[in-house]
Amino acid sequence: MRRGMRIAAALVAVGATAIGTGGGFAEAGVDQPPTIPVDVELTVRGPDPTATAEALTIEFYEMPAGTLAAGNGMCGTTTGATSGPYLYQSDPVDCSLVRPGFDDAAQYAIGVDGAPPGYRTRADCMVDNGEVLQRERIVNGTPEFTVELFTTSVSCSIYVETEILLVDKVVEGGPGGVPAAADSFTIRVLDSGGAEVATGADVAEPTCESDYDPAKCGAIALPAGADYELTEVPVDNYEITEIACDQYVNAEFPPQQPSVSVTADGTFDHDDGDTYCRVTNTWQEGQLTVSATVTNDEGGTATPTDISIEVFDSGGVEVIAATPCAADGSCLDVMLTPGDYVIGYEGPAGYSREVTQTVLDPPPPAPVEQITDDADAAFTMLDGRQVEIVVAIDDPTPPTTTTTTLAPTTTLAPTTTLAPTTTALDAGAGVLPATGASANAWMAIMAIGLLGIGSTMLAVRRR
């Protein structure tokens, strides 16, 4: 971490004098540089303060050069406890500094490494004579005191702090009435220039409003500033429907209800204290109804049950499988999330189609009717929108029947020419003409019959 960020806001002079020569004490016959004990207490305020405190490193710098002190303070382990959901206070951390020589003095500045971006750091230090913290002269009583030649100890306090944005998430509705999980949503905080300065996950616990628990509310470290904008990483089919905030609050004691509605663009000030916001997301859907009509004025026999309707998204993925229409013409009555869709149609061959859309947007204006001859009708669904589609089909006109008189294509000749038939009955019997028409045949038969009868009668008379 750069030196300028590591050095705490307050430079503290740690004036120390030493006795002896050669810059050290002789203890138990061993010549070693003596040290000055330095007790350091850490106070951290912000989301998850324990984790923040455990990541900090105490540093000491030699001034005015600004270089790290020899041994870097030789500090022990930081231990302590959380005294509130956002406040950590450590036990004194044992550090030490090399004692300067008898005729020398040393000036130090305390610093800290590992503070998260946006956190403020400040420090107060006091040498054992208390001169650093003596802010006012006291005139009553006996305020005078004597400064001893030797400095025996130094105590410091380091503060690592930030303001907090509390976020309470409310999720309304979802597929099948089941709301999305809270960790599906991520808040983004932008500065006045549109740059992201903080981000964090929400926690869906309305009880955050009255019974605060860090596990129930989202907490985001947010440095003091003005003209912040609260936005959210988009979650499919969920829309921010309300942002309400209270500003200038204490995160340890949030209000039961946020009382200030943030402007439509989500901007708010955060320049004095913490801010508590409730963000409400609502599941977005619209209603699609599809019906079918059939006209059979040219002898057709199709019915609405011969029609099936399906729905595709803008990428061609089927979201509603082909569904046959009922006998009364009703086909679909479904809820769709916002987006662009296309109606698919299956029906009897030869029928013409006409698709009519009636679109009703919230708040209800006059319905907008759209007619298209495209059987795969496209439409856009919005939250609260009602789209009514009618697919009308008409049977085809049958072909016209035409009567044509055809000229004979073949003159048929008699199939058989019979040779003259001769029946020899008596002498003088005649010869029959050739068989031809059926009338001549019958006449020949009758003549033969009569000749036979006459011959019989003649024979009888001769006897």
Side-chain angles (χ1 to χ4, degrees), residues 110-264:
I110 194 169
V112 64
D113 185 21
Y119 278 64
R120 298 183 309 278
T121 58
R122 63 184 178 91
D124 292 322
C125 288
M126 180 180 67
V127 295
D128 58 353
N129 59 15
E131 66 178 82
V132 173
L133 294 184
Q134 187 174 335
R135 303 280 195 262
E136 295 182 8
R137 178 183 177 186
I138 300 175
V139 296
N140 295 322
T142 308
E144 291 82 4
F145 59 91
T146 301
V147 177
E148 298 292 337
L149 178 63
F150 311 110
T151 297
T152 59
S153 66
V154 178
S155 61
C156 294
S157 297
I158 297 177
Y159 302 89
V160 179
E161 304 169 309
T162 185
E163 285 73 25
I164 299 170
L165 171 64
L166 301 175
V167 181
D168 185 19
K169 170 62 63 177
V170 178
V171 184
E172 296 180 344
V178 179
D183 57 9
S184 301
F185 302 88
T186 301
I187 283 290
R188 298 176 66 236
V189 184
L190 311 181
D191 63 17
S192 58
E196 183 178 286
V197 295
T199 184
D202 300 338
V203 178
E205 285 287 349
T207 54
C208 168
E209 299 170 0
S210 58
D211 180 20
Y212 187 75
D213 182 336
K216 296 180 180 180
C217 282
I220 300 173
L222 185 64
D227 296 328
Y228 283 119
E229 180 182 356
L230 190 62
T231 66
E232 193 173 57
V233 176
V235 175
D236 287 346
N237 307 318
Y238 278 96
E239 182 177 299
I240 295 178
T241 51
E242 181 192 34
I243 300 177
C245 295
D246 259 349
Q247 300 165 198
Y248 321 121
V249 302
N250 186 333
E252 282 76 15
F253 304 99
Q256 292 189 357
Q257 293 287 341
S259 58
V260 180
S261 293
V262 177
T263 56

